[in-house]
Amino acid sequence: MSFTVHGLPVSQGIAIGHTHLVSHALLEVNHYQIAPRHLKAELDRFDNAIASVDGELLGLKTAASAAQPHNEVGAFIDLQRMMLADPALIEAARTKIKEHHYNAEWALVQQMESVVEQFRQIEDAYLRERQADVVQVVERLVKALLGNPGRLPPKRKDGHGTIIVAHDLSPADTIGFKDHIAGFITDIGGPTSHTAIVARNLGIPAIVGLRHIRDLLRADELIIVDGTRGIAIVDPDKSIIEEYQLRRAALELERSKLRRLRDTPAATLGGEIIQLLANISGPQDMAKIKEINADGVGLFRTEFLFIDRDTLPDEDEQYEVYRSVLKAASGKPVTARTFDIGADKSLVGDTQDEPNPALGLRAVRYSLTEPKVFLAQLRALLRASAHGKLQIMIPMLVHADEIEQTLTLIEKAKEELREEKIKFDENLPVGGMVEVPAAALALGMFVRRLDFLSIGTNDLIQYTLAVDRGNEAVVRLYDPLHPAVLKLISGTIQTAQRAELPVSVCGEMAGNPAYTWLLLGMGLRSFSMHPARILEIKRQILRADLAEITPKTQRILKLDEPARIHEAVEKLGA
Ligand code: PEP
Ligand code: MG
């Protein structure tokens, strides 16, 4: 019987294929006590499993980088290899074997649950999703302990591909499967889960968050995965398959057309050049930027350096990372945002809990309470500024004194470097993010103190509408076109322009083609987004007639009836 299920679309495209169910090793774990005389053998079994999984991961990494030298998969696999040496997981499990005489599988799964619980408390969605890596590493270890290494699905001969159906998938599994895989669907995961990122990187359609799909499906069922709309159609009839085959061909044609825009300047019909920048999380993203020829980096989320590690990166380590990003940018501008860590939970060893972390010690607030950490980052950034065109951006500004304290620390860092005779860019611009309504409404104090602004629509929407951006239960209320949000964005752009201060948008709105003309009509001339979106946005710009769009947008900004705004924006972008 045919049926349709809806989930989160995380990697665009259409796949048609037969299901392959990936088993969930953790369900197979038993609990038994180890007799004292067998403890040593149990510990050896545990160590052998770790060595074997490490070898497995290393093999996958080599295969991945041979297939695609600059992809992100290598970094993800390294992360999982690091977990194999993580005391919070491995040593603690070993202690459980030694002290409680648990069998190795049980000790591991018990410890995994306690580590995962700690991850669950983290406010930052990206960091929270790293719990999936812990689970995936433990799954591999359990498989190794049970002598049951993962098996690849066989290649199909009937022309249809294979669709992997799993509760969750690791990036290593994803890359291991990739040769004859048409698509992925999983029960859990969000848009920033590793599987989603890897699937996007590999260009394989994927849907996550389908809840109980793994239990609903049987092996070898025919299924269509529409990764653009987040729909999976199980057991489709012939006419539906034909329709999707046509759609898939049209999408492929579309992609190859987009690739041809790589070297076309992003100019509107009237010849106005628009800046198209990329959001990155580290040096590994720079290859993609070259591939699509972006104008530079509009948002480098430096807090990603903190992820999944138990020591803070010191100044030298940070300097190397920043320098390598600047080198790869080959003279194009790079805007590095200082650490935007949610509360303090992403820092190992710091266990303070906050009742409401989104409104707590986050971003610049956190940095200012840890001046040593902040100063090390500022020194590293300044040192790197000698190797390219760097700008520093401060996240989540609300108060003027947050800027002043940051500027004082930057001055202190400069003073130290001068004394140490270390080169840096004396005129390095310092800007701020407008992502809290208070900042947008009282922009004068920011404009007077900063060199540029960037609007973070992700948080601006969350804080304006009081809707948690990571909470599925209120996702329907998260409306970028809410009149209050539009007023704050357009007001910020206008004020910045009057003050002749460069302004860009670096939230998800900038990478959504449905909003490109609206933002152009508000006067925006600089967009920063996920690199994969840049060519699509460029196409929208090439078709844009500012003389027509601008007055229409001004009329939209006067509306305050949501349905009419949605309708007018849809018409504007057609
Ligand atoms: C934003 O809030 O729009 C933004 C770009 O920052 P982040 O998504 O990292 O919070
Ligand atoms: Mg933000």
Side-chain angles (χ1 to χ4, degrees):
M1 190 193 64
S2 179
F3 64 94
T4 302
V5 280
H6 296 253
L8 288 170
V10 293
S11 184
Q12 297 198 359
I14 288 165
I16 305 171
H18 296 274
T19 55
H20 174 81
L21 308 187
V22 174
S23 79
H24 204 244
L26 298 183
L27 298 178
E28 293 150 25
V29 170
N30 288 324
H31 176 205
Y32 50 88
Q33 289 289 115
I34 304 294
R37 65 178 191 286
H38 295 312
L39 263 186
K40 183 167 178 320
E42 189 65 4
L43 287 166
D44 286 348
R45 196 166 78 90
F46 183 62
D47 289 339
N48 289 340
I50 293 171
S52 133
V53 169
D54 193 44
E56 221 174 272
L57 288 170
L58 195 60
L60 283 166
K61 184 180 166 180
T62 314
S65 49
Q68 251 184 304
H70 298 294
N71 66 24
E72 293 172 338
V73 178
F76 292 160
I77 295 177
D78 281 342
L79 184 91
Q80 298 204 344
R81 291 186 66 214
M82 265 160 55
M83 285 181 183
L84 292 175
D86 188 339
L89 180 68
I90 299 301
E91 267 320 300
R94 206 189 304 273
T95 308
K96 283 193 159 70
I97 303 173
K98 275 196 244 169
E99 290 178 6
H100 303 292
H101 296 193
Y102 287 172
N103 56 312
E105 297 88 341
W106 185 255
L108 256 175
V109 173
Q110 294 307 299
Q111 192 50 33
M112 174 199 80
E113 280 170 2
S114 103
V115 172
V116 162
E117 190 46 44
Q118 287 163 25
F119 271 85
R120 259 191 214 121
Q121 316 278 339
I122 296 177
E123 178 252 350
D124 183 291
Y126 182 91
L127 295 181
R128 204 169 47 235
E129 282 173 15
R130 298 293 68 79
Q131 61 183 280
D133 292 288
V134 181
V135 176
Q136 287 155 4
V137 161
V138 171
E139 277 194 313
R140 269 184 188 274
L141 284 167
V142 169
K143 277 183 195 164
L145 285 164
L146 296 172
N148 172 26
R151 268 171 289 120
L152 288 179
K155 243 180 194 160
R156 312 275 329 181
K157 292 197 185 96
D158 63 2
H160 289 312
T162 298
I163 309 286
I164 297 291
V165 184
H167 180 66
D168 192 16
L169 277 176
S170 73
D173 287 332
T174 315
I175 193 75
F177 285 141
K178 82 170 183 1
D179 281 346
H180 42 288
I181 291 308
F184 298 102
I185 55 176
T186 61
D187 287 344
I188 60 168
T192 60
S193 66
H194 276 158
T195 308
I197 297 171
V198 172
R200 276 200 290 272
N201 233 6
L202 298 172
I204 295 173
I207 308 174
V208 300
L210 284 159
R211 287 157 193 262
H212 303 294
I213 192 70
R214 203 192 159 285
D215 296 336
L216 284 175
L217 294 178
R218 279 170 292 133
D220 232 17
E221 280 190 282
L222 193 62
I223 186 167
I224 296 173
V225 174
D226 181 343
T228 309
R229 294 189 296 169
I231 298 173
I233 307 168
V234 182
D235 197 14
D237 63 32
K238 207 164 153 257
S239 64
I240 303 271
I241 296 175
E242 278 164 8
E243 186 196 320
Y244 271 91
Q245 278 168 332
L246 284 177
R247 273 199 215 176
R248 189 172 55 184
L251 273 177
E252 198 25 63
L253 191 67
E254 192 76 347
R255 274 194 194 159
S256 65
K257 276 194 206 155
L258 274 182
R259 283 195 286 271
R260 284 187 235 142
L261 297 181
R262 180 191 183 273
D263 296 317
T264 309
T268 63
L269 287 177
E272 181 139 9
I273 298 287
I274 308 298
Q275 192 180 36
L276 294 181
L277 303 160
N279 294 351
I280 64 161
S281 52
Q284 73 279 3
D285 296 336
M286 294 307 288
K288 185 78 192 160
I289 290 189
K290 281 218 173 92
E291 196 185 308
I292 49 152
N293 198 15
D295 294 326
V297 173
L299 170 64
F300 173 7
R301 290 179 162 107
T302 60
E303 63 275 9
F304 279 54
L305 302 177
F306 274 126
I307 287 170
D308 298 314
R309 44 184 299 160
D310 47 15
T311 53
L312 286 178
D314 64 15
E315 178 185 321
D316 284 344
E317 189 184 339
Q318 288 187 53
Y319 163 70
E320 289 302 333
V321 172
Y322 303 147
R323 192 180 63 142
S324 83
V325 166
L326 280 162
K327 288 227 146 155
S330 320
K332 289 181 177 173
V334 172
T335 300
R337 177 174 74 183
T338 59
F339 298 131
D340 179 4
I341 39 182
D344 47 358
K345 288 174 216 141
S346 40
L347 300 185
V348 173
D350 206 342
T351 51
Q352 257 185 55
D353 243 342
E354 285 188 288
N356 204 345
L359 304 182
L361 213 49
R362 184 188 157 183
V364 71
R365 302 172 180 184
Y366 181 85
S367 297
L368 289 171
T369 61
E370 293 286 342
K372 259 196 186 155
V373 174
F374 202 10
L375 195 65
Q377 176 171 41
L378 295 172
R379 279 181 55 106
L381 285 167
L382 279 164
R383 284 169 59 193
S385 70
H387 302 280
K389 209 168 160 196
L390 184 68
Q391 320 198 97
I392 291 182
M393 179 155 75
I394 318 169
M396 213 191 163
L397 285 169
V398 173
H399 298 283
D401 65 4
E402 290 162 342
I403 307 176
E404 265 152 25
Q405 289 178 49
T406 306
L407 292 176
T408 306
L409 275 177
I410 292 176
E411 210 30 67
K412 180 173 157 60
K414 283 183 174 178
E415 214 30 68
E416 289 177 4
L417 294 177
R418 279 186 208 111
E419 268 169 33
E420 293 162 33
K421 306 228 172 332
I422 297 175
K423 274 203 219 143
F424 61 91
D425 176 3
E426 284 280 356
N427 301 313
L428 174 136
V430 179
M433 290 198 65
V434 178
E435 51 184 347
V436 178
L441 291 169
L443 209 58
M445 63 187 181
F446 295 89
V447 165
R448 284 193 290 279
R449 291 172 170 87
L450 294 168
D451 300 316
F452 66 92
L453 300 175
S454 189
I455 307 174
T457 50
N458 305 342
D459 278 314
L460 188 62
I461 298 166
Q462 140 162 295
Y463 292 126
T464 306
L465 305 182
V467 173
D468 180 347
R469 62 192 257 197
N471 183 347
E472 267 175 51
V474 286
V475 77
R476 197 184 57 79
L477 306 174
Y478 188 91
D479 180 13
L481 297 185
H482 190 291
V485 173
L486 298 186
K487 280 199 176 72
L488 293 175
I489 298 174
S490 78
T492 303
I493 295 170
Q494 271 174 28
T495 309
Q497 281 171 346
R498 274 201 299 271
E500 294 185 4
L501 211 63
V503 60
S504 71
V505 168
C506 62
E508 293 298 303
M509 271 185 95
N512 187 336
Y515 305 137
T516 311
W517 286 16
L518 179 74
L519 292 169
L520 285 171
M522 291 179 182
L524 189 74
R525 300 295 179 260
S526 173
F527 295 62
S528 190
M529 67 203 82
H530 188 289
R533 288 290 188 168
I534 286 188
L535 296 179
E536 218 175 323
I537 300 300
K538 190 189 273 187
R539 185 175 51 193
Q540 291 293 77
I541 286 164
L542 295 172
R543 295 169 177 163
D545 180 351
L546 293 182
E548 196 186 314
I549 290 170
T550 309
K552 279 190 184 167
T553 303
Q554 296 313 313
R555 284 199 290 278
I556 293 176
L557 291 173
K558 292 203 177 81
L559 300 175
D560 63 2
E561 192 50 48
R564 290 190 58 203
I565 297 177
H566 278 261
E567 193 187 327
V569 170
E570 213 168 289
K571 266 198 204 143
L572 181 74

